[in-house]
Amino acid sequence: MLFPLALYLLIFVASQMICFAHPLEPTCTADHDARSPASVNCFPALGFTMPIDVPLSLNEWWCDPHTEYAFVGFSYEVTQCQSLSVLKSDFLDIRKRFHGRYVRLYGACDRLGFYHDIVDAAWHAGIGVQALIWFGFNGDSKWMKRRDELFSILHSNPKAKFVTRVVQFGSEPLFDHVLEPAALLAQVKSAKEKLASLRIPVTVSDLAYSFKDSDGGEKVLQAVDSIAAHILPFFSSKASKAINSWPLVKADLNYFISHAHGKKIWFSQNGWPSKTSQGVQPNSPSAVADVQNEKDYYTMLDRRCADLKAVPGGGVGWFAHIYSDRQEAGYGIYDAKELSLKFHFAPRTSC
């Protein structure tokens, strides 16, 4: 009987080591139980089973924010206007391979009804969405149409309010001066009123610097329902190696803590580039952009899980920016072909 037992053990061990390339499943990750909050009776907890029918109420639907800390998912750029099948495949990959609980949208697709596909893909994958009203960089008014269509779908699609965790104004509207703080504040207040019946919170996705240094920026921070913090220490004038960047992260985090008044804090746009480009240049001669430093940045955050968990408001849930180099060169976890990981990536989802 020794040989069959040895063979069984060999097969079992091998099965735990197999990694399939995206988008196939299953894929190898760290041990599920060690990475996951205990409760699976709320959305989008790891292990939660989506209902066959749309629930009648949001009561007891969303997970307690105190369980939503550590790694929560990816920023995901939609400028490519991905098909529904691609969205389903990618969202499932984020959920199953990386144990993501959320997708934070980045960029914009102006195809009519695109957010219906986002909702369908999220429901299919059992993953939450942090939606984004994208201002862009052209100074035009397209964001208004995007806002109106998003709000229309949130109200008309019966599944939308069950997968949309928050609506963000972004990205970096204060830093890019796309609206005066008073005008942005008015948009936040208006959005909160329009989405109140859906119980969808509203926030602004921006840098600590933007809120601090714009006249009226901190009034915007007071008005939002949660904090969507951009944490990009590579651009600090004090940046060097990613593994040493915790003091830079902590400085921005402390600012948000002091102004959050107990609100939930997300690191919504958060990462370190693996290469520079025309729009990605350091402000410190010591800052290093390569794959090792991109990896080291997320390693550093993962090691700080206990510190992030202890932040008031339910701890900090952080996103990796971004899903692939095809979406934003240098920031992806996947390479530009979206077939291979640039480095091993399996951060904890709890500690």
Side-chain angles (χ1 to χ4, degrees), residues 14-338:
S15 72
Q16 303 305 302
M17 296 176 64
I18 295 174
C19 271
F20 293 85
H22 166 67
L24 299 179
E25 300 175 56
T27 56
C28 70
T29 58
D31 179 72
H32 182 86
D33 291 337
R35 290 154 48 98
S36 309
S39 175
V40 295
N41 297 319
C42 57
F43 181 80
L46 302 176
F48 179 76
T49 300
M50 294 297 286
I52 296 175
D53 299 318
V54 179
L56 298 176
S57 169
L58 283 165
N59 292 340
E60 300 183 353
W61 172 255
W62 291 105
C63 291
D64 187 321
H66 287 78
T67 67
E68 297 184 324
Y69 63 91
F71 172 71
V72 293
F74 289 91
S75 287
Y76 184 90
E77 185 168 343
V78 295
T79 309
Q80 302 166 31
C81 289
Q82 291 91 330
S83 67
L84 177 58
S85 63
V86 169
L87 292 172
K88 284 183 174 181
S89 174
D90 288 349
F91 287 10
L92 269 174
D93 184 59
I94 292 169
R95 180 68 167 179
K96 300 297 185 181
R97 181 169 195 169
F98 301 102
H99 292 175
R101 287 165 279 175
Y102 290 100
V103 172
R104 181 253 181 176
L105 301 185
Y106 182 75
C109 170
D110 292 326
R111 185 176 77 222
L112 188 64
F114 178 71
Y115 197 75
H116 283 301
D117 287 350
I118 293 289
V119 170
D120 287 350
W123 186 273
H124 176 74
I127 201 166
V129 179
Q130 300 209 359
L132 183 71
I133 299 169
W134 179 253
F135 287 96
F137 307 108
N138 299 320
D140 55 37
S141 60
K142 289 182 179 180
W143 66 270
M144 296 182 183
K145 183 178 179 181
R146 294 166 185 153
R147 174 202 60 197
D148 294 346
E149 182 174 353
L150 174 62
F151 289 0
S152 175
I153 292 174
L154 290 175
H155 279 280
S156 65
N157 188 317
K159 294 178 180 177
K161 66 182 180 182
F162 291 97
V163 297
T164 306
R165 190 65 168 114
V166 66
V167 168
Q168 304 180 12
F169 284 93
S171 189
E172 299 178 358
L174 292 172
F175 182 79
D176 293 331
H177 303 288
V178 296
L179 284 180
E180 291 297 321
L184 182 59
L185 177 61
Q187 287 296 321
V188 168
K189 291 180 176 179
S190 175
K192 289 171 69 171
E193 290 178 3
K194 291 177 180 177
L195 300 178
S197 64
L198 304 176
R199 293 158 63 177
I200 297 175
V202 177
T203 189
V204 172
S205 196
D206 216 319
L207 300 156
Y209 168 86
S210 305
F211 292 108
K212 264 192 294 192
D213 288 10
S214 59
D215 185 20
E218 292 188 347
K219 291 183 179 179
V220 176
L221 202 56
Q222 292 170 13
V224 298
D225 294 311
S226 59
I227 307 298
H230 287 201
I231 305 296
L232 303 166
F234 174 77
F235 296 103
S236 170
S237 61
K238 300 177 181 178
S240 57
K241 293 182 178 180
I243 202 69
N244 300 323
S245 62
W246 175 247
L248 303 176
V249 174
K250 189 66 162 58
D252 281 352
L253 177 57
N254 283 342
Y255 170 78
F256 283 116
I257 292 172
S258 67
H259 291 81
H261 304 296
K263 296 174 185 175
K264 179 69 178 180
I265 298 176
W266 309 91
F267 286 178
S268 58
Q269 192 162 317
N270 166 64
W272 190 285
S274 62
K275 65 178 183 180
T276 58
S277 60
Q278 184 177 358
V280 179
Q281 292 293 324
N283 294 302
S284 164
S286 301
V288 181
D290 57 24
V291 172
Q292 185 62 51
N293 272 272
E294 182 184 4
K295 176 184 178 182
D296 286 349
Y297 178 72
Y298 294 118
T299 298
M300 178 276 297
L301 282 184
D302 199 39
R303 290 174 179 171
R304 292 288 178 172
C305 184
D307 295 305
L308 297 174
K309 180 181 180 180
V311 170
V316 174
W318 61 266
F319 290 85
H321 187 79
I322 198 165
Y323 184 62
S324 76
D325 272 2
R326 183 181 179 187
Q327 296 183 0
E328 189 167 0
Y331 276 102
I333 303 300
Y334 278 109
D335 63 16
K337 293 183 179 180
E338 298 187 348

